[in-house]
Amino acid sequence: MRIGKFPLMFAAALALAACGESSVGLGGSTSTVIELMPDFAEVSAASVNGAGVGGSAFPDSLKLTTEQKATISALENDFKSANAADFAALKAIQVQARAARDAGKSRAEIEVIIKTALPIRARLDAAFEAFRAAVLAVYTPAQRAWVNANKPRECTSNGGPALTEAQLTAIVALKTEFENTIRADRNALLAIHVQAKAARAAGKTEAEVRVILQTGDAAAARIRAAEVKLHADIMALLTAEQRNSWCIKRGMRGPGASSNG
């Protein structure tokens, strides 16, 4: 399956997940690149597209509704808040490991540092799996079927494309820019989610609730466009060989990914 058919979660972001030979530690590589943060450290419409407020990889006939986007946005916020301490701790270990590498420490010394990240990653992977399940529950049966039919290729024992630390850093920068771009619209969707939920609780009709949800259509469209742009920008950072050999590192999880391994 070629990169253009991958859900954005997998196509655009798993460069940040120590995939293949691009990482010392967790991936067991001999490379000097150290990237311990999983992609879902920055959950967003594009970071976890299949799980996020975007769904830009879906065909138009299956695109997420404004209500789905708002609901998933709320799930994202809960996930990020509940796991903020572990994300911060993992980031600190990454900084420490990179500093040790830059100081010329031995591989064994660096691996001792990296191993302290393993229990944190285990907790985060489990938390993300729960988040993934919650998001899939928001999808319609047809949307879930599409995700299952468009699963990305998993990395073999030979790993996936080796990404440089410069590429990883550039991807982080693009995602940060994306987050800044969509922040106001994402917050608007969250507010609409709260308003629609309150309207239902107050006994409003579905027609009345739908009017509330429609006020978020423009924001949702802008987020979708920003997702598509982010995907294109990240793909432009990769070589043709990297794009063609892209795969998912076994053990990393996301909507549509296999639960095996």
Side-chain angles (χ1 to χ4, degrees):
M1 186 181 298
R2 290 198 171 269
I3 197 74
K5 294 185 67 178
F6 289 171
L8 184 57
M9 146 67 182
F10 303 110
L14 279 179
L16 307 181
C19 184
E21 297 183 1
S22 64
S23 173
V24 161
L26 297 186
S29 150
T30 57
S31 169
T32 59
V33 175
I34 299 174
E35 183 61 42
L36 306 184
M37 300 299 290
D39 174 66
F40 53 79
E42 294 120 359
V43 172
S44 70
S47 299
V48 189
N49 176 72
V53 287
S56 66
F58 283 148
D60 286 343
S61 61
L62 294 175
K63 66 182 180 181
L64 296 175
T65 65
T66 299
E67 184 170 17
Q68 284 178 310
K69 291 169 188 271
T71 300
I72 294 168
S73 222
L75 289 172
E76 290 176 2
N77 274 4
D78 291 344
F79 173 76
K80 290 172 75 174
S81 297
N83 296 283
D86 272 344
F87 285 131
L90 193 61
K91 185 69 173 180
I93 293 170
Q94 178 172 286
V95 170
Q96 183 183 5
R98 287 181 175 179
R101 175 204 59 195
D102 295 343
K105 299 293 185 180
S106 69
R107 176 179 175 82
E109 290 174 300
I110 295 171
E111 287 183 340
V112 167
I113 297 171
I114 289 174
K115 283 180 180 178
T116 64
L118 295 178
I120 300 174
R121 279 295 301 271
R123 288 195 299 271
L124 288 173
D125 286 347
F128 184 72
E129 186 64 21
F131 169 67
R132 169 185 179 269
V135 168
L136 289 176
V138 176
Y139 286 173
T140 65
Q143 287 168 334
R144 287 193 292 272
W146 187 93
V147 168
N148 288 331
N150 287 270
K151 290 179 180 178
R153 179 169 55 91
E154 284 196 350
C155 297
T156 65
S157 58
N158 294 326
L163 301 175
T164 67
E165 196 158 296
Q167 286 175 313
L168 294 169
T169 299
I171 290 171
V172 170
L174 285 172
K175 289 177 64 180
T176 299
E177 179 184 359
F178 169 83
E179 291 288 348
N180 291 334
T181 298
I182 71 163
R183 183 172 292 113
D185 284 329
R186 187 171 180 274
N187 288 340
L189 288 180
L190 282 169
I192 290 167
H193 169 78
V194 172
Q195 187 180 1
K197 185 176 180 180
R200 282 201 177 97
K204 299 294 184 182
T205 66
E206 280 304 309
E208 290 174 304
V209 172
R210 193 176 304 114
V211 169
I212 295 172
L213 293 171
Q214 286 172 346
T215 63
D217 286 350
R222 287 191 294 269
I223 290 174
R224 183 178 173 90
E227 286 181 318
V228 174
K229 180 180 184 300
L230 176 67
H231 177 232
D233 288 346
I234 292 178
M235 290 301 99
L237 291 173
L238 306 181
T239 65
E241 182 180 359
Q242 286 172 329
R243 288 191 292 271
N244 289 334
S245 62
W246 200 267
C247 59
I248 303 308
K249 181 171 176 57
R250 190 174 294 274
M252 295 305 296
R253 295 292 183 264
S258 170
S259 60
N260 297 326

